[in-house]
């Protein structure tokens, strides 16, 4: 009965099979699932050297194993480094038609925005005073280029899952290795500790299995469109078979 009811809305105005999502970075389909079409850029072009330095070294631990600290480890140091940051809003114009660079810029400004705004809260917490007040104003050299990149990508200028924190924020430790979270490392972090890195990358590992789910959902939709209950059930069963793999991550 449920399948019959759903079939009633699978008309020309609700044909999900004809809709394709591709923004030059992500293409949600049976091949990629929710992962980007290409691995994200680890570094920004040379035009953005000082921004690259900030996002590489702003984390609390630049090298956790050797206890090498970064800018966030010292109160006020990140703010001092941001004060020296150029406003790259003009340089960005040269990359407005380069989706991979725009995504890397979005990731960089998203992490820098969150780190800058919450730096005072973090240091108040370190002193045992709970989470203190955050900065209430974002410097123009962060805000203006970030808004320009975000508008070009068509999304709000703040941290998000796909362009910044996770799916656009990884590299393979062994380029020839598997897409297992133990072989993934985030490009940008706040703390730089293994717990943070593992938390971020396990989600990417989960999403690496999404291609089969997208395939099964499209198969189910096609079955609905053709009023083929058997095809719908088989496609949904395929999704069910994928879930144990995801749960085991």
């Amino acid at each position: 009965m449920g399948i019959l009811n759903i079939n009633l809305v699978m008309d020309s105005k609700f044909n999900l099979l004809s809709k394709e999502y591709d923004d030059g970075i992500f293409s949600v389909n049976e091949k990629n699932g929710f992962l980007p079409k290409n691995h994200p850029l680890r570094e920004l072009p040379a035009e953005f050297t000082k921004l690259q330095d900030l996002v590489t070294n702003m984390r609390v631990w630049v090298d956790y194993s050797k206890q090498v600290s970064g800018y966030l480890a010292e109160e006020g140091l990140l703010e001092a480094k941001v004060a020296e940051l150029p406003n790259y809003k003009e340089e960005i114009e040269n990359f407005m038609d380069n989706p991979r660079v725009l995504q890397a810029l979005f990731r960089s400004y998203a992490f820098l925005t969150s780190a800058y705004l919450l730096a005072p809260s973090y240091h108040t917490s370190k002193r045992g005073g709970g989470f203190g007040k955050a900065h209430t104003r974002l410097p123009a050299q962060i805000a203006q280029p970030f808004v320009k990149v975000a508008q070009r990508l068509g999304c709000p200028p703040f941290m998000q899952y796909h362009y910044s924190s996770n799916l656009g924020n990884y590299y393979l430790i062994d380029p020839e290795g598997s897409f297992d979270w133990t072989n993934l490392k985030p490009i940008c972090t706040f703390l730089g500790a293994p717990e943070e890195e593992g938390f971020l990358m396990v989600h990417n590992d989960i999403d690496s299995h999404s291609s089969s789910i997208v395939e099964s959902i499209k198969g189910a939709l096609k079955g609905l469109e053709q009023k083929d209950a058997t095809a719908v059930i088989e496609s949904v069963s395929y999704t069910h078979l994928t879930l144990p793999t995801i749960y085991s991550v």
Side-chain angles (χ1 to χ4, degrees):
M1 190 65 176
I3 292 176
L4 293 176
N5 288 337
I6 293 173
N7 265 312
L8 294 177
V9 296
M10 290 299 293
D11 58 15
S12 60
K13 296 180 180 178
F14 193 74
N15 188 358
L16 295 179
L17 290 173
S18 67
K19 295 183 178 180
E20 295 289 339
Y21 178 85
D22 192 326
D23 62 0
I25 304 166
F26 294 92
S27 180
V28 180
N29 54 38
E30 302 93 323
K31 178 183 177 181
N32 305 307
F34 300 132
L35 293 180
K37 296 191 291 185
N38 300 288
H39 295 317
L41 296 177
R42 284 186 64 178
E43 294 189 354
L44 299 169
E47 290 88 336
F48 307 100
T49 299
K50 289 196 173 181
L51 176 60
Q52 182 64 58
D53 172 77
L54 265 175
V55 296
T56 299
N57 296 296
M58 73 177 188
R59 65 197 74 186
V60 175
W61 297 109
V62 173
D63 189 328
Y64 184 83
S65 63
K66 297 178 181 179
Q67 296 290 280
V68 177
S69 59
Y71 301 150
L72 275 171
E74 181 180 335
E75 187 169 8
L77 182 55
L78 179 63
E79 288 88 339
K81 293 293 183 180
V82 166
E84 300 172 355
L85 180 68
N87 189 328
Y88 288 118
K89 62 180 182 180
E90 299 302 327
E91 286 81 353
I92 287 172
E93 288 290 340
N94 298 322
F95 298 92
M96 294 296 271
D97 294 319
N98 189 322
R100 295 187 73 203
V101 172
L102 288 173
Q103 184 273 311
L105 284 165
F106 186 95
R107 178 188 67 219
S108 300
Y109 281 116
F111 270 88
L112 183 56
T113 291
S114 294
Y116 180 89
L117 290 176
L118 295 173
S121 302
Y122 169 69
H123 287 288
T124 301
S125 175
K126 277 181 61 179
R127 293 193 297 270
F131 285 103
K133 291 183 178 181
H135 287 302
T136 58
R137 180 181 174 83
L138 197 61
Q141 63 267 36
I142 299 177
Q144 290 178 349
F146 192 14
V147 167
K148 176 174 281 192
V149 171
Q151 288 178 338
R152 181 61 172 169
L153 291 174
C155 57
F158 211 72
M159 184 71 71
Q160 56 177 252
Y161 185 80
H162 62 304
Y163 284 141
S164 47
S165 69
N166 284 78
L167 302 183
N169 183 38
Y170 71 86
Y171 66 92
L172 274 68
I173 299 170
D174 175 5
E176 304 301 322
S178 65
F179 204 92
D180 182 90
W181 72 270
T182 58
N183 190 42
L184 298 174
K185 201 170 181 67
I187 298 167
C188 295
T189 57
F190 298 112
L191 184 59
E195 297 87 347
E196 177 190 25
E197 295 178 349
F199 174 78
L200 291 172
M201 294 300 97
V202 75
H203 290 82
N204 288 14
D205 191 342
I206 291 171
D207 279 310
S208 70
H209 304 287
S210 60
S211 58
S212 59
I213 293 178
V214 172
E215 181 179 0
S216 66
I217 290 173
K218 291 186 74 171
L221 291 171
K222 186 174 182 180
L224 289 171
E225 189 177 58
Q226 297 175 349
K227 301 187 184 330
D228 185 343
T230 300
V232 172
I233 293 170
E234 288 178 351
S235 295
V236 172
S237 298
Y238 187 39
T239 298
H240 179 71
L241 292 173
T242 304
L243 293 178
T245 304
I246 293 175
Y247 295 153
S248 68
V249 172

